[in-house]
Amino acid sequence: MSSEYEGVSEAIADVMFGSAQAGRPVYALADAETVRDVLEAGGVEDRTLGGLAAVVRSSLQVDESGVAPFHWQAEAARRHRRSPLETPPALPLLVVLSIAAEQMQADGDLAAHNYYSRLHRLLRVPTTEYLRVENDYRRVAALLWGSLNSWLEAWEGERGIPTAYAVGGHAFIGLPMSQAVVRQHDRAGLHELFAIEGMTPGLRISPDDMSLAMDPYATATPSLPLSSHLARLWRVPAARERIVDAACLELEAWDGSGIEAVASARPVVTTRLLAFLRTFPRKSIEFNLMLPYRSEGPDIARFQLADEESTVPTVAGPGGSTRLSGAEGVSAASLVGEQLTGEFGDDESRPFGRRPKRVAPLRWDDLQGAFVEVERISLGEDSIVLARSDARQRVEAHLAVHARPGWHELADLPGAPEGWVVYQHVQIVSAPTGQLHFDLLPLAPRARTSLTLRGGFVLPGLLRKWSVMEPPEAVALAAGASSVAVRVYRGTRIDPAELIAESLQPGELAVLPLADRDLFDGEYVVAMFVDNANKPSSTALLRLRSASTPQFRVEDVDIRLVYSPDSSRRWPLTAGPAQWPSYVNGARTVGLESRRVRAATPMPEFVPRERSTSTADVAKTRVGIPMASDSCLITGMHRFLLPPVLPGQAPTWSIEGECTTCGLVRRFAGTPWAAKKKDVGAKTIVVPEIPPVIESDEPDFEVAFDSLNHVGTGTFGVFERVAAQVEGSGLFADSFLRRLEVVGHVDVARDDYLQVTEWAVNTSTLVPTGDGLWVLIGSRSSALLAQLRELLGTGAVVRTSVDAELARVEVDGRLPVDALAEAGIAVLETSPVNAIVETLPPLSEVATSLKRVIVPSYRTAEFWDTTSASWHPATSLAKVGAYRLKDFGSTYAIRAADEIASGTIGLGNAPLVKHIANMWAGDPLVGYNSRSGSVVTPLGADLPALYGRALALCSGRAPREIVNHRMLQYPSVPRAVADIIYDRVSR
């Protein structure tokens, strides 16, 4: 093909699908300005639509008899399958196809046959060739548009989220039509609508819910905030379906832009309660508040109380939101049951507020990693329900009729405010049709049809995808249906030949679990069919990934983090870029110099410490105004304010009223006939026999580790999104990351405050642990393990086991080193333990390198008692040692004698400051257990970073928590290695 065509193709890739589109839905539709920019970048003189069409026309064989018009395009698309990261050759053609669809809509004429006449005119197709071009396009349409989708998929959303999917009727022209519905300027109106409706960035809702939310705006005059273009198309059913699908994609990729303008006018609508269900170290619930304002870092939220102001620090949250920092210091009863009013930041331009409700549903939100308060519960969505205790009987009766079996109350749940009950695993599978008590309105979904991909392990990234090791289940609901079917097809379109799973159920609901079906990495279409219809009523795209299909190959992209003695004096605690000549990377070492200058003092035998528990109770901060005793929150009696009826005003079908206290909205019948119809329509709902919601007994750490291997590297926020699906607490995320770091699976970068900034999975490495024994450290996948077994053949045996909740892979036998190296698996001839341990500096050097700051404000302080290895209340900071300062969070610090005089402290993390304090006291926390050949420390005092890795690599095992005795054990550590570690932590 001509260099001009290739230049235009690359220009489209850069202009329309550049990095600025990362994580956003992208379309192949170009306006006149974009066409001009593309042709200018491609070096085309005629920079009009006609010029672009001429370039595309040159790639077609319209005038060649005996050759299919799209022959070259189809062959190029087939070749592109082998290199999906390369720019798809079809891009210029797809842009022209989309423009033809947009021109059809511009005239308000959506008849299918008119599409081709406009396409023929654009491409100057002779009349005699019309039928030939149309038939050949139908033959190759899926192939051409599939090359665009596969390219965007291969880039993992870095160039945008693919949108070119056609389902149902008009399978061929439906593809370009899908690109021509929503214009660039339409998106701002959609974003404003999302904010007005109280939707959260990244929220996934069903097309039916979206249609119900958009319809009042699209049918109003004027249609603000929606554009007149969308309002005109809304009247056409085929276009409405496309608009709704596009709006759902926009909401899922929305970053919160436009929400601040709405929040300033309607702060109560856009401020949401967050709930985190914890299981580590015990089951509990923690509440927070999601403020609708973007922040780049720490800030404050100022709450207005009856006679004072309460200030709470904030941190930036996902999706352009902000949440409270250290919410454990805020009263849950105040957050949940009091009127909240305040301003974000130091000025009054960003107000926020929340009214308490007697019953509040909260749906799971992958982006927030928490349950987020919603106005109405959605069909099939996994939710928790928070209710006043006096509404228990009413709520439970409602759930018994309309919820999927498996919901239950979380009784005696720590963190739940007094007077409230919490229900878990609530999935509403039917909607009431008669009169409903006011309290239960939030539990009545607006939509009547829903297809939901529920549960599963969601992978972080710009594309929505699940782990193939733990896929979701499909839940399909259709009110009033006689039968519902859910079908799963391999690929990105409905093809009966690719059907791989199906569930056909009588009644209104069908559930199709996708686990244990031996699915592979790739794309699948999940479709819902109602009453044996041929056309699906709803579809969803399911992407499955694993470590076998990583976002990048570690060996191909130099993103490694390394611990280098040349980087800083804190080098054993934090990794950095691989730019130094000596370093530790996972289990591999390069150029390390030993610091062993004297005989190490033997590590003494471990003796359990007599631990005392005496911690200070911190009073919870109130942030709201208590509700009056006669308010609807207490009495359950709402006061609805209805709009006045003006003289001559025509009656409406319904009248919307809002409770003046809690903001609950209810629609009342506007005419006698409407009221009568509502009464007649009431009927008893019978929930069909359906499988209950099943909660996994144990979290699957291996799925989480496989997910991290798929992602490969990222910020701590990315890591938290993975860890939150195992356990929602930040404490667990920190513990899980340190466990992976100490074994050598990942390297971790930290800032001056020792906060995690980045992590990266290390290259697969076989580390010797004994005679003919190796353990696999670093990245792994099912494909890599299968290849490992194949390469080893009969010369060695691969054994897998679970160790400290992580899968351990051990190899016993002879290794084909060269073949393994070609497969990307490094083999170490000798253990790296001695090289690491002999390079480690004394702990005193690390202590002096910690960042010093002026003592911050705090409400309570605790001092580390080195004898009992426990925290005790402190009335001052006048002693040398380690401190835990509590405000809305905890600050861990050390204080030497000179710092007491200067009024400063040194910042660290919990394990590090404990070891430094005991080192200063001449009483190191570590001890040796000769009987088991292991190093033992008190639980919660694990050795930091490389100090712990030197011990873990002796056996290739993570340290074991012995909870009953509050000890942490590093197994199979040679005495010589233990002695060197003791030397380093004792001076």
Side-chain angles (χ1 to χ4, degrees):
M1 188 45 55
S2 67
S3 59
E4 184 180 57
Y5 182 91
E6 293 177 355
V8 171
S9 183
E10 293 296 335
I12 291 174
D14 293 338
V15 174
M16 297 178 62
F17 302 96
S19 59
Q21 304 302 321
R24 299 175 178 272
V26 285
Y27 303 89
L29 179 65
D31 57 20
E33 183 179 355
T34 302
V35 169
R36 183 171 60 252
D37 293 342
V38 164
L39 295 177
E40 181 179 359
V44 179
E45 291 186 6
D46 183 356
R47 295 169 185 170
T48 64
L49 176 57
L52 175 62
V55 171
V56 172
R57 180 68 160 74
S58 69
S59 72
L60 306 180
Q61 289 70 53
V62 175
D63 303 318
E64 299 180 31
S65 62
V67 182
F70 294 95
H71 171 75
W72 180 87
Q73 289 283 356
E75 291 301 313
R78 291 189 182 96
R79 290 193 298 271
H80 181 260
R81 288 173 172 173
R82 298 192 291 268
S83 304
L85 284 170
E86 301 296 326
T87 301
L91 277 186
L93 172 60
L94 300 182
V95 171
V96 170
L97 292 171
S98 301
I99 291 174
E102 196 271 341
Q103 288 183 347
M104 181 173 63
Q105 294 177 5
D107 291 342
D109 185 358
L110 283 168
H113 67 275
N114 280 346
Y115 172 76
Y116 290 110
S117 64
R118 297 190 176 279
L119 179 63
H120 295 325
R121 187 175 67 180
L122 272 175
L123 295 177
R124 298 185 179 181
V125 177
T127 307
T128 57
E129 304 298 325
Y130 278 8
L131 188 60
R132 185 164 153 260
V133 168
E134 293 170 17
N135 288 338
D136 197 41
Y137 169 71
R138 295 187 183 100
R139 178 180 66 87
V140 302
L143 177 63
L144 298 177
W145 289 99
S147 68
L148 171 62
N149 291 338
S150 63
W151 178 56
L152 297 173
E153 295 273 359
W155 277 91
E156 291 288 340
E158 293 290 343
R159 289 182 176 270
I161 306 298
T163 59
Y165 299 108
V167 295
H170 304 316
F172 306 114
I173 67 171
L175 286 161
M177 284 170 57
S178 71
Q179 304 297 285
V181 171
V182 179
R183 299 170 175 172
Q184 184 67 35
H185 69 272
D186 295 329
R187 298 181 185 180
L190 287 174
H191 297 169
E192 188 175 346
L193 182 146
F194 300 157
I196 292 173
E197 285 295 303
M199 300 176 186
T200 58
L203 177 67
R204 292 180 300 107
I205 65 174
S206 71
D208 293 274
D209 279 332
M210 180 63 76
S211 181
L212 287 170
M214 294 181 66
D215 188 69
Y217 301 93
T219 55
T221 304
S223 60
L224 298 177
L226 299 180
S227 67
S228 57
H229 167 250
L230 285 185
R232 185 177 68 252
L233 293 179
W234 188 263
R235 294 191 290 268
V236 183
R240 181 184 308 172
E241 181 181 344
R242 299 289 179 185
I243 293 171
V244 168
D245 289 341
C248 289
L249 279 172
E250 283 291 333
L251 176 59
E252 192 172 323
W254 182 37
D255 62 358
S257 56
I259 199 172
E260 294 194 10
V262 174
S264 61
R266 304 179 66 181
V268 174
V269 174
T270 50
T271 304
R272 300 288 179 180
L273 191 68
L274 296 177
F276 300 84
L277 282 179
R278 314 294 197 194
T279 59
F280 179 87
R282 60 173 181 165
K283 192 148 193 173
S284 63
I285 190 169
E286 179 185 299
F287 293 98
N288 205 313
L289 205 61
M290 187 177 74
L291 307 180
Y293 300 107
R294 183 183 302 276
S295 60
E296 301 302 326
D299 212 314
I300 59 170
R302 297 181 293 113
F303 291 86
Q304 304 300 321
L305 305 185
D307 52 2
E308 59 179 334
E309 181 178 273
S310 178
T311 301
V312 179
T314 64
V315 293
S321 65
T322 296
R323 59 179 59 167
L324 305 182
S325 173
E328 64 271 12
V330 177
S331 167
S334 184
L335 279 175
V336 171
E338 296 183 343
Q339 176 91 26
L340 306 181
T341 307
E343 288 85 29
F344 175 59
D346 293 324
D347 55 42
E348 298 181 359
S349 63
R350 292 176 291 179
F352 64 84
R354 178 185 179 271
R355 297 174 182 147
K357 301 178 180 65
R358 287 177 55 80
V359 177
L362 296 92
R363 70 178 295 278
W364 174 255
D365 189 294
D366 297 324
L367 182 64
Q368 296 292 333
F371 289 91
V372 180
E373 182 180 16
V374 290
E375 294 295 328
R376 289 281 190 103
I377 202 165
S378 296
L379 279 174
E381 290 282 1
D382 195 19
S383 306
I384 63 174
V385 172
L386 185 65
R388 290 270 303 183
S389 297
D390 57 1
R392 177 200 300 270
Q393 185 175 0
R394 188 174 294 121
V395 169
E396 292 182 356
H398 180 84
L399 297 182
V401 174
H402 299 289
R404 183 177 173 184
W407 62 270
H408 61 274
E409 179 190 348
L410 294 172
D412 302 321
L413 182 66
E418 185 177 356
W420 293 82
V421 290
V422 180
Y423 298 95
Q424 187 183 19
H425 295 312
V426 175
Q427 285 185 41
I428 297 296
V429 295
S430 67
T433 58
Q435 291 289 344
L436 198 64
H437 191 277
F438 296 133
D439 288 352
L440 301 178
L441 286 178
L443 302 184
R446 286 184 293 210
R448 292 296 183 264
T449 303
S450 171
L451 174 63
T452 305
L453 296 178
R454 178 209 168 267
F457 203 99
V458 180
L459 301 177
L462 298 173
L463 292 178
R464 181 163 179 79
K465 51 196 174 181
W466 282 263
S467 169
V468 74
M469 298 173 66
E470 195 174 315
E473 65 175 6
V475 180
L477 294 143
S482 59
S483 68
V484 176
V486 180
R487 300 186 180 110
V488 179
Y489 303 85
R490 184 179 290 105
T492 57
R493 63 193 183 96
I494 294 177
D495 182 352
E498 296 294 338
L499 179 65
I500 60 172
E502 181 179 18
S503 174
L504 175 60
Q505 299 293 329
E508 302 178 343
L509 179 140
V511 178
L512 179 60
L514 297 177
D516 302 322
R517 293 185 179 270
D518 298 324
L519 300 180
F520 300 101
D521 292 23
E523 282 73 44
Y524 300 83
V525 171
V526 182
M528 169 186 176
F529 297 84
V530 178
D531 294 340
N532 299 314
N534 293 322
K535 180 181 178 181
S537 60
S538 186
T539 63
L541 182 64
L542 170 64
R543 301 181 181 93
L544 296 181
R545 301 287 190 272
S546 71
S548 297
T549 51
Q551 292 187 180
F552 60 84
R553 289 169 56 87
V554 175
E555 58 270 29
D556 290 345
V557 185
D558 187 12
I559 52 94
R560 290 179 305 164
L561 296 173
V562 300
Y563 303 84
S564 174
D566 304 315
S567 60
S568 73
R569 290 184 300 164
R570 287 194 303 276
W571 73 271
L573 308 180
T574 176
Q579 60 187 25
W580 296 285
S582 61
Y583 57 80
V584 177
N585 173 234
R588 299 177 298 169
T589 63
V590 175
L592 298 182
E593 295 184 5
S594 173
R595 297 180 55 142
R596 191 169 187 177
V597 295
R598 64 186 179 88
T601 303
M603 180 180 287
E605 287 291 313
F606 180 78
V607 178
R609 297 169 185 262
E610 193 66 32
R611 187 173 183 270
S612 61
T613 56
S614 177
T615 58
D617 292 329
V618 180
K620 301 287 188 179
T621 298
R622 282 189 50 247
V623 292
I625 300 174
M627 304 301 293
S629 59
D630 61 346
S631 71
C632 61
L633 181 74
I634 307 299
T635 65
M637 300 174 63
H638 299 270
R639 299 177 180 87
F640 286 97
L641 180 63
L642 301 178
V645 178
L646 302 178
Q649 181 177 336
T652 58
W653 178 269
S654 63
I655 302 173
E656 198 171 85
E658 180 176 349
C659 177
T660 57
T661 303
C662 71
L664 181 70
V665 175
R666 180 174 182 180
R667 289 185 175 90
F668 298 85
T671 65
W673 186 80
K676 182 178 180 181
K677 182 175 181 181
K678 182 174 291 188
D679 291 336
V680 171
K683 65 176 183 178
T684 302
I685 299 295
V686 178
V687 179
E689 190 68 27
I690 55 176
V693 180
I694 299 176
E695 181 180 13
S696 175
D697 293 332
E698 296 291 338
D700 196 333
F701 292 86
E702 190 58 21
V703 177
F705 186 46
D706 184 85
S707 302
L708 294 172
N709 276 275
H710 168 74
V711 178
T713 185
T715 63
F716 187 55
V718 172
F719 187 91
E720 282 185 308
R721 288 188 64 185
V722 172
Q725 296 177 77
V726 179
E727 153 61 43
S729 72
L731 179 62
F732 169 77
D734 178 68
S735 173
F736 186 38
L737 181 59
R738 285 190 280 114
R739 187 183 311 169
L740 294 172
E741 178 187 27
V742 75
V743 179
H745 293 319
V746 302
D747 286 346
V748 181
R750 296 177 172 86
D751 60 18
D752 290 345
Y753 299 88
L754 295 186
Q755 300 299 305
V756 176
T757 57
E758 187 181 1
W759 58 273
V761 177
N762 294 312
T763 299
S764 305
T765 306
L766 285 171
V767 180
T769 58
D771 188 15
L773 293 176
W774 286 264
V775 66
L776 183 64
I777 300 296
S779 65
R780 71 182 63 161
S781 66
S782 58
L784 183 137
L785 294 181
Q787 187 178 21
L788 175 62
R789 290 187 173 93
E790 181 180 352
L791 292 173
L792 293 176
T794 59
V797 177
V798 178
R799 299 190 185 95
T800 59
S801 60
V802 176
D803 176 65
E805 298 167 328
L806 288 178
R808 183 173 185 270
V809 179
E810 188 176 62
V811 178
D812 183 354
R814 292 177 288 105
L815 302 183
V817 176
D818 293 339
L820 290 172
E822 291 182 6
I825 303 175
V827 179
L828 302 185
E829 294 182 3
T830 60
S831 172
V833 170
N834 287 332
I836 295 174
V837 74
E838 292 179 3
T839 310
L840 292 173
L843 201 57
S844 57
E845 291 187 15
V846 175
T848 59
S849 71
L850 297 182
K851 184 176 182 61
R852 263 60 184 181
V853 298
I854 299 296
V855 176
S857 61
Y858 60 91
R859 289 189 288 171
T860 63
E862 294 172 308
F863 182 74
W864 177 252
D865 181 61
T866 57
T867 302
S868 64
S870 58
W871 295 104
H872 290 264
T875 57
S876 70
L877 309 184
K879 295 165 62 176
V880 172
Y883 290 89
R884 179 166 63 182
L885 310 180
K886 289 187 175 183
D887 192 3
F888 290 97
S890 295
T891 299
Y892 293 91
I894 57 171
R895 206 161 201 213
D898 58 332
E899 290 162 337
I900 295 175
S902 63
T904 60
I905 55 173
L907 299 178
N909 55 36
L912 178 62
V913 300
K914 295 173 185 177
H915 281 285
I916 292 176
N918 276 72
M919 178 267 296
W920 282 344
D923 184 18
L925 289 170
V926 295
Y928 198 72
N929 184 270
S930 298
R931 184 176 179 180
S932 62
S934 58
V935 171
V936 183
T937 73
L939 193 63
D942 43 316
L943 286 158
L946 291 192
Y947 293 90
R949 184 175 296 183
L951 298 182
L953 287 178
C954 293
S955 61
R957 298 180 184 275
R960 299 173 178 175
E961 294 182 353
I962 308 174
V963 178
N964 292 341
H965 299 284
R966 300 199 58 80
M967 295 188 301
L968 191 70
Q969 178 193 36
Y970 296 83
S972 304
V973 178
R975 164 61 79 170
V977 174
D979 292 346
I980 298 175
I981 285 292
Y982 183 75
D983 173 75
R984 299 305 193 262
V985 300
S986 62
R987 64 183 177 93

